[in-house]
């Protein structure tokens, strides 16, 4: 599956960032497999990142267990699920990293691969990416 560069570039921003108001319904949450499905997607994404020479260095000193929990919360909230995100804002989470669009795109690709491996339909994948995309600006080059 190929996404437009702007959509790819938008996802990294949302993965580690601020809480956003929950969507109006939980249809996307259900389509992603609920809490269990989101957990599998996040775990797959983190495994992909660990193998990704382009970006794994950004995660070298990160508490991966904590990050896993925060990403599950974040995706759950953004998908309209019954969760609450308790992490730092996007700006705080990414301050000083000076992430570039290519870094963001690599993480999006790792997320997409995880969703593909879980058998998430392309329409549902794009639904999650679209909800995460507006937060991109808080991450790139900060």
């Amino acid at each position: 599956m190929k996404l437009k560069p702007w959509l790819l570039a938008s996802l990294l921003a949302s993965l580690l960032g601020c809480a956003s108001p929950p969507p109006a319904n939980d249809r996307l949450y259900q389509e992603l497999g609920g809490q269990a499905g989101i957990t599998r997607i996040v775990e797959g994404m983190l495994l992909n990142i660990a193998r990704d020479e382009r970006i794994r260095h950004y995660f070298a000193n990160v508490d991966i267990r904590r990050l896993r929990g925060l990403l599950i919360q974040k995706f759950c909230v953004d998908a309209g699920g019954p969760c609450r995100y308790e992490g730092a804002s996007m700006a705080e989470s990414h301050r000083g990293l000076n992430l570039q669009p290519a870094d963001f795109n690599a993480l999006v690709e790792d997320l997409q691969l995880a969703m593909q491996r879980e058998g998430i339909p392309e329409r549902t994948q794009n639904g999650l990416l679209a909800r995460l995309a507006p937060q991109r600006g808080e991450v790139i080059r900060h």
Side-chain angles (χ1 to χ4, degrees), residues 2-117:
K2 280 278 201 199
L3 290 179
K4 304 263 187 242
W6 66 266
L7 188 54
L8 288 173
S10 298
L11 182 61
L12 179 59
S14 8
L15 296 179
L16 305 173
C18 63
S20 49
N25 67 56
D26 72 347
R27 186 175 124 212
L28 180 59
Y29 174 76
Q30 297 302 327
E31 291 175 354
L32 290 168
Q35 190 73 20
I38 289 171
T39 297
R40 288 190 304 273
I41 290 165
V42 167
E43 290 172 347
M45 183 188 73
L46 290 172
L47 288 172
N48 294 339
I49 290 169
R51 297 180 197 114
D52 192 333
E53 302 268 342
R54 299 170 295 174
I55 60 172
R56 70 179 180 195
H57 61 279
Y58 288 114
F59 298 85
N61 296 315
V62 172
D63 179 345
I64 296 299
R65 286 185 184 176
R66 181 175 182 276
L67 176 61
R68 175 189 171 274
L70 291 171
L71 287 173
I72 291 168
Q73 289 174 8
K74 180 77 172 110
F75 287 5
C76 178
V77 168
D78 287 340
C83 306
R84 182 171 171 225
Y85 177 70
E86 299 177 353
S89 72
M90 290 283 258
E92 285 178 54
S93 298
H94 298 89
R95 185 174 294 131
L97 294 177
N98 195 30
L99 296 173
Q100 301 300 307
D103 301 318
F104 184 87
N105 293 349
L107 191 133
V108 171
E109 291 169 15
D110 291 337
L111 172 60
Q112 286 181 284
L113 181 58
M115 289 192 285
Q116 290 168 3
R117 287 186 177 149

